Amino acid sequence: MVYPMGGAASRLYSTLTRSLSSPLPLPPSCPDPHRPADTNPDPDLCREQKTASPARPLDPAELLRQCEEALGDRAPRLHREFVHLGDGDGAPGSSVRVMQWNILAQALGEGLDSFVRCPPEAISWSRRKYLILEEILTYRPHILCLQEVDHYHDTFQPVLAGLGYGSHFCPKPWSPCLDVDGNNGPDGCALFYDRSRFELLDSVGLRLSAMRIPTNQVAVVTTLRCRTTGRCVRVAATHLKARAGWEWLRSAQGSDLLRQLQNVDPGSDTPLLVCGDFNAVPTEEVYRRFAASPLGLDSACKKLGADGATEPEYTTWKIRPTGECRATLDYVWYSRDSLRVDGVLDVPTEEQIGPDRLPSFSYPSDHLSLVCDFSFEGTEE
């Protein structure tokens, strides 16, 4: 499903062309209390970017077409269907679309991650930027949570602002992207919201801790009011520590995020959405902590299972020098008592993904996007 879209295509494409071709200075990372004060970046750069939208709305449909044209004779997109749930009895226009996606930092894709079966041309930024935008524009989420974003300032913020999105970005304080020659700055988490659908109430960047010690992982927590229903929702986007052997750290980081979410507004009944690459399979402790949290969270993508209680078989599938990795690591958690899952985008099959896995000419990241439609429970029709 693609949401209704407006005009001004030429202005949109000129915005896209300028933002994707004009290099900008490297963006600084979030303040690090352990660094000397004179090396800390301007803290305002970790706050919401309030770039005004153009006087006339830009046209996502035309941008989608331009992305497809720019990709030329490309491999077919991964075809995915929505699994619709319930009887669709919510109020018209009340459903909220949420996308969660680790888009793969460009510096990591070209450098440290070593996707041995992915041709260098498929991982180039000149191609991937259009594939990433194409994925976003195809599903047109009202709320977009991204991880491994290292082209926020020069690409995603200006282009999506032109489409009517507000946003908040917080980079990792010690991003591994900075170790790659020719990097575009640190990667981090970015949260975008459709200004026509939501009013911003509050947004904060968090540095996650483990046993009271700050770590390199971050989260963005944003509180929004829906202009359609008047209901509020609090959304968190996060990315926990990667690699085997760090299960204890992921658990501690997840616990810290849950604690901070509980302390944002104690006793509040504001629904929660927690989106992220947890780097944890469903048997890990951090997953169990979220499932058993007093915040009353459930995982939306379990709705894809035949029993409604099993996560998808995979949300990432890649081949590195160390071997093949096929696992479920990404989640969209929601408040089960105050939000209803109306639909979930299915997972492509092994045949669709292909023998070389991800990323590929068909798909720009080693992680699949998760797209879910939600309604507020008790919304009047």
Side-chain angles (χ1 to χ4, degrees), residues 41 46 48 61 123 128 138 162 166 183 187 202 231 288 297 313 323 332 348 359 364:
C46 281
E48 189 217 13
I123 207 76
R128 274 198 345 112
T138 295
N183 68 79
D187 75 301
D202 182 58
R231 303 282 291 274
R288 296 195 297 271
L297 301 175
E313 293 183 17
V332 177

PDB file of all heavy atoms in Angstrom, residues 41 46 48 61 123 128 138 162 166 183 187 202 231 288 297 313 323 332 348 359 364:
ATOM      1  N   PRO A  41      31.306  17.597  20.589  1.00  0.00           N
ATOM      2  CA  PRO A  41      30.601  18.359  19.558  1.00  0.00           C
ATOM      3  C   PRO A  41      29.496  19.216  20.153  1.00  0.00           C
ATOM      4  O   PRO A  41      29.151  19.082  21.326  1.00  0.00           O
ATOM      5  CB  PRO A  41      30.017  17.263  18.665  1.00  0.00           C
ATOM      6  CG  PRO A  41      29.797  16.129  19.605  1.00  0.00           C
ATOM      7  CD  PRO A  41      30.949  16.194  20.576  1.00  0.00           C
ATOM      8  N   CYS A  46      22.672  16.834  18.415  1.00  0.00           N
ATOM      9  CA  CYS A  46      22.044  15.580  18.837  1.00  0.00           C
ATOM     10  C   CYS A  46      20.555  15.757  19.078  1.00  0.00           C
ATOM     11  O   CYS A  46      19.871  14.824  19.436  1.00  0.00           O
ATOM     12  CB  CYS A  46      22.695  15.054  20.107  1.00  0.00           C
ATOM     13  SG  CYS A  46      24.251  14.214  19.800  1.00  0.00           S
ATOM     14  N   GLU A  48      16.587  17.214  17.933  1.00  0.00           N
ATOM     15  CA  GLU A  48      15.756  17.083  16.732  1.00  0.00           C
ATOM     16  C   GLU A  48      16.148  18.121  15.699  1.00  0.00           C
ATOM     17  O   GLU A  48      16.424  19.266  16.013  1.00  0.00           O
ATOM     18  CB  GLU A  48      14.288  17.263  17.104  1.00  0.00           C
ATOM     19  CG  GLU A  48      13.374  16.927  15.938  1.00  0.00           C
ATOM     20  CD  GLU A  48      12.171  17.829  15.869  1.00  0.00           C
ATOM     21  OE1 GLU A  48      12.137  18.848  16.535  1.00  0.00           O
ATOM     22  OE2 GLU A  48      11.260  17.492  15.124  1.00  0.00           O
ATOM     23  N   ALA A  61       5.527   9.989  -4.787  1.00  0.00           N
ATOM     24  CA  ALA A  61       5.298   9.099  -5.930  1.00  0.00           C
ATOM     25  C   ALA A  61       6.276   9.393  -7.055  1.00  0.00           C
ATOM     26  O   ALA A  61       6.821   8.482  -7.689  1.00  0.00           O
ATOM     27  CB  ALA A  61       3.855   9.243  -6.420  1.00  0.00           C
ATOM     28  N   ILE A 123      27.099  -2.646  -3.560  1.00  0.00           N
ATOM     29  CA  ILE A 123      27.217  -2.010  -2.246  1.00  0.00           C
ATOM     30  C   ILE A 123      27.599  -0.537  -2.364  1.00  0.00           C
ATOM     31  O   ILE A 123      27.674   0.182  -1.378  1.00  0.00           O
ATOM     32  CB  ILE A 123      28.255  -2.766  -1.392  1.00  0.00           C
ATOM     33  CG1 ILE A 123      27.953  -2.618   0.111  1.00  0.00           C
ATOM     34  CG2 ILE A 123      29.673  -2.310  -1.686  1.00  0.00           C
ATOM     35  CD1 ILE A 123      26.821  -3.460   0.565  1.00  0.00           C
ATOM     36  N   ARG A 128      23.048   2.256  -3.705  1.00  0.00           N
ATOM     37  CA  ARG A 128      22.293   1.903  -2.496  1.00  0.00           C
ATOM     38  C   ARG A 128      21.373   3.018  -2.022  1.00  0.00           C
ATOM     39  O   ARG A 128      20.296   2.761  -1.490  1.00  0.00           O
ATOM     40  CB  ARG A 128      23.257   1.531  -1.363  1.00  0.00           C
ATOM     41  CG  ARG A 128      23.673   0.096  -1.383  1.00  0.00           C
ATOM     42  CD  ARG A 128      24.253  -0.435  -0.092  1.00  0.00           C
ATOM     43  NE  ARG A 128      24.658   0.514   0.907  1.00  0.00           N
ATOM     44  CZ  ARG A 128      24.037   0.651   2.089  1.00  0.00           C
ATOM     45  NH1 ARG A 128      22.998  -0.084   2.420  1.00  0.00           N
ATOM     46  NH2 ARG A 128      24.487   1.533   2.956  1.00  0.00           N
ATOM     47  N   THR A 138       8.146   3.105  -0.955  1.00  0.00           N
ATOM     48  CA  THR A 138       7.166   2.083  -1.314  1.00  0.00           C
ATOM     49  C   THR A 138       6.146   1.888  -0.200  1.00  0.00           C
ATOM     50  O   THR A 138       4.945   1.729  -0.464  1.00  0.00           O
ATOM     51  CB  THR A 138       7.878   0.750  -1.612  1.00  0.00           C
ATOM     52  OG1 THR A 138       8.697   0.910  -2.767  1.00  0.00           O
ATOM     53  CG2 THR A 138       6.880  -0.371  -1.862  1.00  0.00           C
ATOM     54  N   GLY A 162      12.010  17.187   3.134  1.00  0.00           N
ATOM     55  CA  GLY A 162      11.279  17.667   1.976  1.00  0.00           C
ATOM     56  C   GLY A 162       9.990  16.916   1.730  1.00  0.00           C
ATOM     57  O   GLY A 162       9.082  17.418   1.073  1.00  0.00           O
ATOM     58  N   GLY A 166       9.668  15.142  10.232  1.00  0.00           N
ATOM     59  CA  GLY A 166      10.574  15.643  11.251  1.00  0.00           C
ATOM     60  C   GLY A 166      11.464  14.496  11.697  1.00  0.00           C
ATOM     61  O   GLY A 166      11.141  13.330  11.450  1.00  0.00           O
ATOM     62  N   ASN A 183      35.248   7.705   5.365  1.00  0.00           N
ATOM     63  CA  ASN A 183      33.920   7.588   5.976  1.00  0.00           C
ATOM     64  C   ASN A 183      33.165   8.904   5.908  1.00  0.00           C
ATOM     65  O   ASN A 183      33.744   9.972   5.672  1.00  0.00           O
ATOM     66  CB  ASN A 183      34.039   7.111   7.423  1.00  0.00           C
ATOM     67  CG  ASN A 183      34.679   8.157   8.326  1.00  0.00           C
ATOM     68  OD1 ASN A 183      34.036   9.110   8.743  1.00  0.00           O
ATOM     69  ND2 ASN A 183      35.968   7.983   8.615  1.00  0.00           N
ATOM     70  N   ASP A 187      27.969   6.501  12.505  1.00  0.00           N
ATOM     71  CA  ASP A 187      26.609   5.994  12.317  1.00  0.00           C
ATOM     72  C   ASP A 187      25.846   6.091  13.635  1.00  0.00           C
ATOM     73  O   ASP A 187      26.436   6.226  14.713  1.00  0.00           O
ATOM     74  CB  ASP A 187      26.625   4.552  11.814  1.00  0.00           C
ATOM     75  CG  ASP A 187      26.976   3.554  12.903  1.00  0.00           C
ATOM     76  OD1 ASP A 187      28.083   3.675  13.485  1.00  0.00           O
ATOM     77  OD2 ASP A 187      26.161   2.666  13.200  1.00  0.00           O
ATOM     78  N   ASP A 202       7.971  15.631  22.477  1.00  0.00           N
ATOM     79  CA  ASP A 202       9.267  15.582  23.152  1.00  0.00           C
ATOM     80  C   ASP A 202      10.160  14.589  22.429  1.00  0.00           C
ATOM     81  O   ASP A 202       9.659  13.621  21.826  1.00  0.00           O
ATOM     82  CB  ASP A 202       9.094  15.142  24.615  1.00  0.00           C
ATOM     83  CG  ASP A 202      10.408  15.130  25.362  1.00  0.00           C
ATOM     84  OD1 ASP A 202      11.060  16.177  25.422  1.00  0.00           O
ATOM     85  OD2 ASP A 202      10.799  14.059  25.872  1.00  0.00           O
ATOM     86  N   ARG A 231      -4.528  10.781  20.121  1.00  0.00           N
ATOM     87  CA  ARG A 231      -3.833   9.894  21.059  1.00  0.00           C
ATOM     88  C   ARG A 231      -2.330  10.103  20.978  1.00  0.00           C
ATOM     89  O   ARG A 231      -1.788  10.468  19.925  1.00  0.00           O
ATOM     90  CB  ARG A 231      -4.168   8.434  20.742  1.00  0.00           C
ATOM     91  CG  ARG A 231      -5.663   8.119  20.761  1.00  0.00           C
ATOM     92  CD  ARG A 231      -6.190   7.981  22.175  1.00  0.00           C
ATOM     93  NE  ARG A 231      -5.656   6.791  22.813  1.00  0.00           N
ATOM     94  CZ  ARG A 231      -6.211   5.574  22.705  1.00  0.00           C
ATOM     95  NH1 ARG A 231      -7.291   5.396  21.960  1.00  0.00           N
ATOM     96  NH2 ARG A 231      -5.688   4.541  23.342  1.00  0.00           N
ATOM     97  N   ARG A 288      13.840 -12.010  26.382  1.00  0.00           N
ATOM     98  CA  ARG A 288      12.946 -12.430  27.479  1.00  0.00           C
ATOM     99  C   ARG A 288      12.642 -11.262  28.414  1.00  0.00           C
ATOM    100  O   ARG A 288      11.524 -11.149  28.940  1.00  0.00           O
ATOM    101  CB  ARG A 288      13.580 -13.587  28.248  1.00  0.00           C
ATOM    102  CG  ARG A 288      13.752 -14.859  27.419  1.00  0.00           C
ATOM    103  CD  ARG A 288      14.040 -16.071  28.303  1.00  0.00           C
ATOM    104  NE  ARG A 288      15.279 -15.945  29.029  1.00  0.00           N
ATOM    105  CZ  ARG A 288      16.465 -16.338  28.582  1.00  0.00           C
ATOM    106  NH1 ARG A 288      16.570 -16.849  27.357  1.00  0.00           N
ATOM    107  NH2 ARG A 288      17.546 -16.225  29.325  1.00  0.00           N
ATOM    108  N   LEU A 297       4.807  -5.288  26.929  1.00  0.00           N
ATOM    109  CA  LEU A 297       5.185  -5.265  25.513  1.00  0.00           C
ATOM    110  C   LEU A 297       5.025  -6.632  24.859  1.00  0.00           C
ATOM    111  O   LEU A 297       5.184  -7.669  25.501  1.00  0.00           O
ATOM    112  CB  LEU A 297       6.642  -4.801  25.367  1.00  0.00           C
ATOM    113  CG  LEU A 297       6.974  -3.421  25.934  1.00  0.00           C
ATOM    114  CD1 LEU A 297       8.472  -3.153  25.831  1.00  0.00           C
ATOM    115  CD2 LEU A 297       6.180  -2.332  25.217  1.00  0.00           C
ATOM    116  N   GLU A 313      11.448 -16.586  10.777  1.00  0.00           N
ATOM    117  CA  GLU A 313      12.654 -17.413  10.793  1.00  0.00           C
ATOM    118  C   GLU A 313      13.916 -16.576  10.674  1.00  0.00           C
ATOM    119  O   GLU A 313      14.986 -16.989  11.130  1.00  0.00           O
ATOM    120  CB  GLU A 313      12.598 -18.437   9.660  1.00  0.00           C
ATOM    121  CG  GLU A 313      11.512 -19.490   9.834  1.00  0.00           C
ATOM    122  CD  GLU A 313      11.552 -20.529   8.729  1.00  0.00           C
ATOM    123  OE1 GLU A 313      12.590 -20.615   8.032  1.00  0.00           O
ATOM    124  OE2 GLU A 313      10.564 -21.244   8.564  1.00  0.00           O
ATOM    125  N   GLY A 323      31.432 -17.138   7.595  1.00  0.00           N
ATOM    126  CA  GLY A 323      30.359 -18.067   7.277  1.00  0.00           C
ATOM    127  C   GLY A 323      29.027 -17.373   7.063  1.00  0.00           C
ATOM    128  O   GLY A 323      28.937 -16.139   6.998  1.00  0.00           O
ATOM    129  N   VAL A 332       9.837  -5.157  16.456  1.00  0.00           N
ATOM    130  CA  VAL A 332       8.959  -4.019  16.723  1.00  0.00           C
ATOM    131  C   VAL A 332       8.110  -4.415  17.929  1.00  0.00           C
ATOM    132  O   VAL A 332       7.168  -5.209  17.815  1.00  0.00           O
ATOM    133  CB  VAL A 332       8.063  -3.681  15.516  1.00  0.00           C
ATOM    134  CG1 VAL A 332       7.109  -2.540  15.866  1.00  0.00           C
ATOM    135  CG2 VAL A 332       8.902  -3.316  14.299  1.00  0.00           C
ATOM    136  N   PRO A 348      10.490 -12.149   2.801  1.00  0.00           N
ATOM    137  CA  PRO A 348      10.720 -12.817   1.518  1.00  0.00           C
ATOM    138  C   PRO A 348      11.282 -14.223   1.709  1.00  0.00           C
ATOM    139  O   PRO A 348      11.932 -14.523   2.708  1.00  0.00           O
ATOM    140  CB  PRO A 348      11.728 -11.904   0.819  1.00  0.00           C
ATOM    141  CG  PRO A 348      12.366 -11.114   1.911  1.00  0.00           C
ATOM    142  CD  PRO A 348      11.337 -10.963   2.975  1.00  0.00           C
ATOM    143  N   PRO A 359      23.545  -8.041   1.542  1.00  0.00           N
ATOM    144  CA  PRO A 359      22.861  -7.203   0.546  1.00  0.00           C
ATOM    145  C   PRO A 359      23.104  -7.719  -0.868  1.00  0.00           C
ATOM    146  O   PRO A 359      23.954  -8.596  -1.082  1.00  0.00           O
ATOM    147  CB  PRO A 359      23.478  -5.826   0.764  1.00  0.00           C
ATOM    148  CG  PRO A 359      24.845  -6.112   1.313  1.00  0.00           C
ATOM    149  CD  PRO A 359      24.713  -7.356   2.135  1.00  0.00           C
ATOM    150  N   PRO A 364      19.284  -3.369  -0.475  1.00  0.00           N
ATOM    151  CA  PRO A 364      20.463  -2.589  -0.106  1.00  0.00           C
ATOM    152  C   PRO A 364      21.081  -2.897   1.250  1.00  0.00           C
ATOM    153  O   PRO A 364      22.139  -2.362   1.577  1.00  0.00           O
ATOM    154  CB  PRO A 364      19.927  -1.155  -0.117  1.00  0.00           C
ATOM    155  CG  PRO A 364      18.495  -1.302   0.292  1.00  0.00           C
ATOM    156  CD  PRO A 364      18.038  -2.593  -0.326  1.00  0.00           C
TER     157      PRO A 364
END
